[in-house]
Amino acid sequence: MSQALDLINLTLDDITPKVVDTILTSNVALQALQNRVVRITGKNKQYPVKYKKQGTGKSFDGFDLLNTNYVDTTAKLSFVPKNVDQPVVFADTDIASAQGEEAIIELVAYKVEESTQELADQLGDMIYSDGTGNSGKDLDGFQSAIKTSGTYGGLDYSTYTTLQATVD
């Protein structure tokens, strides 16, 4: 039984981290965005976007009449929250071969870390996509934002032309 535990420990401590690191470290966008997580409360998350200049400011002298007209310069991008999951799954054989409390804790820690990395990889893939995967349930990625026609966040590119991407 000691050899089986030694094999589990060797796999978890020395082999697996190297294998996982070479497979799941390619999503640069996710790494850049993960510190900018926004908690969504309510049905939609709205982001105000400035789409035109106010254009009412000017130079003046003395008692010149100043413009106090209001110009609406913002619109709101609106996004419906979407969900992503990655289960933590254990095979009966893994549980049966993990003898002792420490081995079970190591197995659970490994499986949770494995699922966390798989989820990060899945999110990273979605960030580069157009959001139409899985019948439109995938997150809206860069491809859904970087275009010149259609809508994004409920705003039409033909109306809010400053949202249009320059695609070469």
Side-chain angles (χ1 to χ4, degrees):
M1 198 52 83
S2 173
Q3 290 177 331
L5 187 57
D6 288 343
L7 180 60
I8 290 171
N9 288 334
L10 173 67
T11 303
L12 292 176
D13 295 341
D14 297 327
I15 299 171
T16 305
K18 292 179 180 108
V19 173
V20 172
D21 282 346
T22 62
I23 296 172
L24 300 175
T25 59
S26 61
N27 285 303
V28 176
L30 179 64
Q31 292 172 1
L33 295 172
Q34 69 186 7
N35 293 328
R36 305 175 107 189
V37 173
V38 176
R39 185 165 182 82
I40 297 177
T41 56
K43 187 176 178 180
N44 293 339
K45 178 65 179 171
Q46 296 186 334
Y47 297 91
V49 176
K50 183 177 178 95
Y51 70 93
K52 68 178 178 181
K53 291 182 180 181
Q54 188 179 31
T56 57
K58 64 177 183 177
S59 59
F60 71 98
D61 184 27
F63 291 103
D64 287 352
L65 196 56
L66 301 177
N67 188 343
T68 59
N69 294 331
Y70 175 77
V71 177
D72 190 10
T73 59
T74 60
K76 290 187 179 175
L77 294 168
S78 181
F79 298 95
V80 175
K82 294 187 176 181
N83 304 297
V84 180
D85 86 304
Q86 179 63 44
V88 179
V89 180
F90 298 89
D92 288 342
T93 54
D94 291 340
I95 295 169
S97 65
Q99 299 296 318
E101 188 174 306
E102 187 176 323
I104 291 172
I105 290 170
E106 287 179 2
L107 176 64
V108 170
Y110 167 73
K111 287 295 191 177
V112 168
E113 179 64 23
E114 176 186 55
S115 291
T116 300
Q117 291 177 356
E118 290 279 342
L119 178 61
D121 191 59
Q122 185 178 6
L123 287 169
D125 290 345
M126 285 184 201
I127 287 170
Y128 288 101
S129 74
D130 63 3
T132 60
N134 193 22
S135 302
K137 295 175 189 173
D138 280 1
L139 303 176
D140 294 337
F142 294 143
Q143 289 182 26
S144 66
I146 303 173
K147 54 188 179 178
T148 58
S149 64
T151 62
Y152 181 66
L155 300 180
D156 194 309
Y157 284 109
S158 63
T159 303
Y160 302 96
T161 57
T162 58
L163 296 177
Q164 292 179 2
T166 302
V167 181
D168 292 328

